[in-house]
Amino acid sequence: RKEVEQDPGPFNVPEGATVAFNCTYSNSASQSFFWYRQDCRKEPKLLMSVYSSGNEDGRFTAQLNRASQYISLLIRDSKLSDSATYLCVVNPTLSGGYNKLIFGAGTRLAVHP
Amino acid sequence: DVKVTQSSRYLVKRTGEKVFLECVQDMDHENMFWYRQDPGLGLRLIYFSYDVKMKEKGDIPEGYSVSREKKERFSLILESASTNQTSMYLCASSTATPLAGAINEQYFGPGTRLTVT
């Protein structure tokens, strides 16, 4: 079983739609969680962190469910520019010194006019 | 802005060649990482370094070695390239300990697409 699992998609949605991605992780002791965004042929970039209390950044909402070991990302009012691959990322350790991250394989989103 | 640069965007090498991939960061970060990214597998950690001359194996170190002689530079070496090392290679850097309340983000370079024929 992979440490971090995501539906690869693609999710094809029209502009203005709301779309949600889920991700599951296997290590119950994991400490911190993130969503990274990767555009086609570009490097990954941090989109947002994920907190137990949930967090929102504009049209993006991330939530963590520790009991079920899953993380979600909700995108409201999708824009063409949201088309990208979204990587679910888990830091499995307490120690921040090495900051090792475990990456999911990504969920591809395609927003069409 | 943090800048992580990699020596080549595209590289084609022959089986058995020794390959050097260079990565440089300008933010005085302690940690540096080398990943490879393959379709359906995501990013997998090859090696990382938390200080000059220090290195730790990641999840898939076989067939690779690294060198960190200066804080800003982290090199990935393929001693004898093989076709199964054809991949996208991504370098990243981060601080050792984030400021209180801050996220310890990893910053990535643009990647090197290596083809071994």
Side-chain angles (χ1 to χ4, degrees):
Chain A
R1 183 187 171 187
K2 291 181 182 177
E3 290 189 72
V4 178
E5 295 210 59
Q6 300 181 246
D7 181 342
F11 284 62
N12 294 300
V13 302
E15 274 186 291
T18 295
V19 61
F21 311 133
N22 285 337
C23 157
T24 59
Y25 61 96
S26 60
N27 184 348
S28 59
S30 296
Q31 296 299 315
S32 51
F33 309 88
F34 310 93
W35 285 99
Y36 275 64
R37 171 191 167 131
Q38 186 172 22
D39 293 319
C40 188
R41 301 186 189 283
K42 299 278 191 177
E43 69 274 20
K45 292 184 180 179
L46 178 66
L47 177 66
M48 59 198 304
S49 298
V50 188
Y51 304 118
S52 298
S53 55
N55 52 308
E56 191 172 309
D57 182 3
R59 298 180 294 108
F60 297 81
T61 301
Q63 293 204 304
L64 166 66
N65 184 318
R66 282 193 183 271
S68 302
Q69 294 179 214
Y70 80 79
I71 305 150
S72 65
L73 178 68
L74 181 79
I75 305 175
R76 289 181 298 278
D77 189 23
S78 298
K79 312 288 184 195
L80 294 175
S81 57
D82 294 334
S83 297
T85 297
Y86 291 84
L87 308 177
C88 176
V89 184
V90 173
N91 184 338
T93 62
L94 249 180
S95 166
Y98 295 169
N99 191 30
K100 283 179 64 177
L101 300 178
I102 309 296
F103 287 80
T107 297
R108 195 153 64 88
L109 171 65
V111 182
H112 57 82
Chain B
D1 275 354
V2 175
K3 194 146 176 118
V4 180
T5 56
Q6 295 184 226
S7 49
S8 307
R9 291 300 303 272
Y10 300 94
L11 209 53
V12 180
K13 295 291 181 181
R14 294 192 181 278
T15 301
E17 278 193 85
K18 191 168 185 175
V19 182
F20 293 88
L21 302 182
E22 303 282 338
C23 174
V24 178
Q25 49 93 4
D26 67 357
M27 278 299 290
D28 202 35
H29 283 168
E30 291 80 10
N31 298 340
M32 295 188 75
F33 308 83
W34 273 107
Y35 296 89
R36 62 177 284 176
Q37 185 174 28
D38 301 288
L41 297 177
L43 276 80
R44 293 180 292 167
L45 182 63
I46 303 171
Y47 266 97
F48 68 100
S49 168
Y50 52 90
D51 201 352
V52 176
K53 296 192 186 295
M54 305 304 288
K55 60 185 179 186
E56 291 282 340
K57 292 180 180 179
D59 301 316
I60 51 164
E62 296 79 19
Y64 304 94
S65 61
V66 290
S67 172
R68 191 156 180 211
E69 296 296 317
K70 293 185 178 181
K71 190 175 185 180
E72 68 271 17
R73 188 179 297 269
F74 192 34
S75 303
L76 180 69
I77 303 146
L78 287 66
E79 295 290 341
S80 177
S82 63
T83 54
N84 62 12
Q85 293 179 309
T86 291
S87 186
M88 170 67 83
Y89 289 87
L90 288 156
C91 174
S93 72
S94 72
T95 58
T97 307
L99 299 173
I103 300 162
N104 199 355
E105 180 178 353
Q106 285 191 14
Y107 296 86
F108 285 84
T112 296
R113 184 164 292 282
L114 172 68
T115 302
V116 183
T117 62

